[in-house]
Amino acid sequence: NAGVTQTPKFRVLKTGQSMTLLCAQDMNHEYMYWYRQDPGMGLRLIHYSVGEGTTAKGEVPDGYNVSRLKKQNFLLGLESAAPSQTSVYFCASSFTRELPLYEQYFGPGTRLTVT
Amino acid sequence: EDKVVQSPLSLVVHEGDTVTLNCSYEVTNFRSLLWYKQEKKAPTFLFMLTSSGIEKKSGRLSSILDKKELFSILNITATQTGDSAVYLCAVEAYQGETSGSRLTFGEGTQLTVNP
């Protein structure tokens, strides 16, 4: 049981390049989330998904797209990377849709630098 | 727009001191408040609070929620150097039938415990 895994762990991109971050969980969780964390800003929600085939926007969705084609995977795409997207990206998942939301399990993070 | 504010942003204490971290919030359709500890990696779950006035306790850590005044506190007694971390407060808010719930995080409190 690996929990939540993220690929890759580190990446350096040039401005304008594209890439996809992969998040996978093996806990059969319904909910999955993508956050970014910048110094002094806490964790900010980019997009999230409440089930396979569904996605919703978070606080800072601009410049990112997501897909949840399989329940266990949640992909975050950057179509044209910008230096403002330099950040640490965390994926998380949680089990239930019942009230209240259960604890979120976080992946180890992906450190992305855009030059 | 949902808002979570933590204070202080930074705190330096000596081993053995007791600290109180604060979290105030303004959200629509509150469901729960969560505390996380973050060292050099992904956040780890500490507590989830849903009801006012009921203290949650785990060893030297305890937390309580006041839903009327919209705040929570996290207490750490007899601090140790291993308590040094960023402590994050997050509030869960319900977004509706299709979007489910999501978390809004505060900036975090950086706690440093010196020997």
Side-chain angles (χ1 to χ4, degrees):
Chain A
N1 192 339
V4 180
T5 57
Q6 291 183 230
T7 309
K9 289 189 170 50
F10 303 94
R11 185 74 186 266
V12 179
L13 286 180
K14 288 187 167 43
T15 298
Q17 286 185 318
S18 64
M19 78 163 293
T20 300
L21 281 67
L22 170 64
C23 176
Q25 51 92 6
D26 60 3
M27 297 173 282
N28 202 32
H29 284 174
E30 288 286 343
Y31 280 51
M32 295 187 76
Y33 314 80
W34 275 108
Y35 294 94
R36 60 177 288 174
Q37 188 172 34
D38 305 293
M41 302 286 286
L43 282 159
R44 291 184 293 169
L45 183 66
I46 305 171
H47 287 281
Y48 65 109
S49 168
V50 302
E52 182 179 325
T54 72
T55 63
K57 291 182 180 179
E59 297 170 66
V60 288
D62 294 341
Y64 305 95
N65 56 74
V66 288
S67 64
R68 183 104 181 264
L69 298 178
K70 292 183 180 180
K71 188 177 184 180
Q72 63 268 34
N73 295 336
F74 194 30
L75 278 65
L76 177 72
L78 286 73
E79 288 186 352
S80 179
S84 61
Q85 294 177 303
T86 294
S87 188
V88 179
Y89 291 86
F90 287 101
C91 175
S93 70
S94 59
F95 182 63
T96 183
R97 297 181 70 159
E98 301 297 319
L99 289 170
L101 187 68
Y102 197 63
E103 63 179 282
Q104 294 191 356
Y105 294 79
F106 282 84
T110 295
R111 186 173 293 277
L112 175 67
T113 302
V114 183
T115 61
Chain B
E1 186 181 320
D2 297 338
K3 195 173 171 185
V4 178
V5 177
Q6 291 185 244
S7 64
L9 294 180
S10 177
L11 191 55
V12 180
V13 300
H14 291 291
E15 264 192 320
D17 288 350
T18 293
V19 298
T20 299
L21 310 183
N22 304 292
C23 176
S24 63
Y25 62 90
E26 292 175 32
V27 301
T28 305
N29 296 323
F30 172 91
R31 278 194 178 181
S32 66
L33 185 144
L34 301 98
W35 284 97
Y36 288 86
K37 178 181 181 182
Q38 186 177 26
E39 294 169 274
K40 297 285 184 188
K41 43 193 177 177
T44 53
F45 174 78
L46 293 173
F47 298 112
M48 181 175 71
L49 302 145
T50 56
S51 302
S52 273
I54 297 176
E55 186 183 51
K56 291 276 182 108
K57 207 166 165 61
S58 175
R60 295 176 295 101
L61 277 67
S62 63
S63 183
I64 198 159
L65 173 68
D66 186 328
K67 286 169 77 172
K68 185 178 173 189
E69 299 298 329
L70 308 181
F71 77 91
S72 173
I73 60 172
L74 174 69
N75 277 323
I76 309 175
T77 58
T79 51
Q80 302 170 358
T81 55
D83 295 328
S84 295
V86 174
Y87 290 84
L88 295 166
C89 171
V91 174
E92 178 199 356
Y94 185 62
Q95 306 299 308
E97 184 64 32
T98 51
S99 299
S101 284
R102 69 186 209 198
L103 296 183
T104 299
F105 281 81
E107 289 180 42
T109 294
Q110 172 72 62
L111 174 65
T112 302
V113 181
N114 290 325

